[in-house]
Amino acid sequence: MNFKKTDSKDSALVLINLQTEESVKIQPGAMVFHNGKVKLEGKMNGNIAKAMFKKAFTGETFFITTAIGQASDSQIGIAPTSLGDIEVIDIGARQWRLKDGAFLACDNSVDYKTTTQGISKAVLGGTGGFIVMETIGQGQMLINAYGSLLAIDLDGTQDYVVDNQHVVCWDTNLDYKIEMASGMFGFKTNEGVVCRFKGAGRVYIQTRSQPIISA
């Protein structure tokens, strides 16, 4: 994926350059502009059964947008809906699990599948309920976050605990569980649900959490 990210840290835009018939997958609604030489196609995100499964359990759209270059100098600009940073992760030797809303774009050679979590993770977790997204294939993926993105590398010698609302994606090599930060519901520390990671691998966290707005 031939791309360039603008300098803005909290409201970055990504310019993707495409050759003729070269394509990338982008989050629906992420396009800001293109130079008139890009064709956009909405394709079902898996077969109908898988698409309905994803929609029911993750709230994810049935479709994913594919941007296809129509000339050697095709260009498209994309951006996430929330303020925050954008980072590229390599897919292949390392695969990842992503929370809802972290995906922005990827090479056409990259895909993701749904994977189920255990009941304790699903009940307490905010990283996808019963379902989280897991990458497959080889290439590059762009992820986005609310606030800045920070990569934390674990060497396997100790656990690492991250507030659940700050987790963006994590290495599939890592084991993890959802627990309360302290006490019954974290009342004493004003902290709630956290993710405890074990093993060697990388976790991306966001420096801000979006407030929960009640109706």
Side-chain angles (χ1 to χ4, degrees):
M1 184 162 44
N2 181 6
F3 70 92
K4 180 180 180 181
K5 185 177 70 171
T6 59
D7 292 334
S8 176
K9 192 72 173 176
D10 62 353
S11 54
L13 181 142
V14 176
L15 297 172
I16 302 176
N17 297 306
L18 298 170
Q19 298 293 316
T20 305
E21 295 303 318
E22 183 183 3
S23 63
V24 293
K25 300 171 185 175
I26 63 174
Q27 179 68 20
M31 188 207 75
V32 178
F33 65 86
H34 64 74
N35 64 353
K37 301 178 182 180
V38 174
K39 180 181 178 182
L40 298 176
E41 291 184 350
K43 296 183 178 180
M44 187 169 291
N45 200 352
N47 60 38
I48 184 64
K50 289 183 178 179
M52 292 178 68
F53 191 63
K54 291 176 184 177
K55 179 66 176 178
F57 286 100
T58 70
E60 183 189 359
T61 178
F62 278 109
F63 300 95
I64 192 166
T65 301
T66 301
I68 307 167
Q70 303 295 287
S72 59
D73 59 345
S74 304
Q75 187 178 75
I76 183 171
I78 63 172
T81 56
S82 63
L83 291 175
D85 200 4
I86 299 170
E87 184 65 69
V88 59
I89 56 176
D90 293 320
I91 313 296
R94 175 179 283 173
Q95 299 293 339
W96 304 85
R97 293 191 177 102
L98 287 78
K99 66 175 274 185
D100 296 346
F103 169 75
L104 181 62
C106 66
D107 287 318
N108 201 42
S109 56
V110 173
D111 204 348
Y112 55 86
K113 62 182 179 180
T114 55
T115 183
T116 57
Q117 299 192 100
I119 185 67
S120 62
K121 296 175 182 177
V123 171
L124 295 177
T127 57
F130 284 102
I131 306 296
V132 292
M133 313 312 297
E134 187 172 313
T135 63
I136 52 177
Q138 187 168 356
Q140 291 183 316
M141 176 178 285
L142 294 172
I143 58 172
N144 64 267
Y146 186 58
S148 297
L149 273 163
L150 175 66
I152 299 174
D153 290 311
L154 284 65
D155 62 8
T157 60
Q158 62 183 23
D159 296 357
Y160 218 92
V161 179
V162 183
D163 184 284
N164 200 42
Q165 296 300 319
H166 289 263
V167 177
V168 177
C169 72
W170 61 99
D171 195 320
T172 56
N173 288 332
L174 291 170
D175 188 22
Y176 70 103
K177 65 178 180 179
I178 307 296
E179 60 188 33
M180 304 310 300
S182 66
M184 186 64 177
F185 291 103
F187 292 146
K188 294 181 179 179
T189 62
N190 201 33
E191 300 292 341
V193 178
V194 296
C195 296
R196 179 179 293 272
F197 292 96
K198 296 175 179 286
R202 174 171 288 188
V203 179
Y204 279 95
I205 67 170
Q206 58 187 19
T207 59
R208 298 291 183 270
S209 62
Q210 292 177 302
I212 299 173
I213 301 175
S214 59

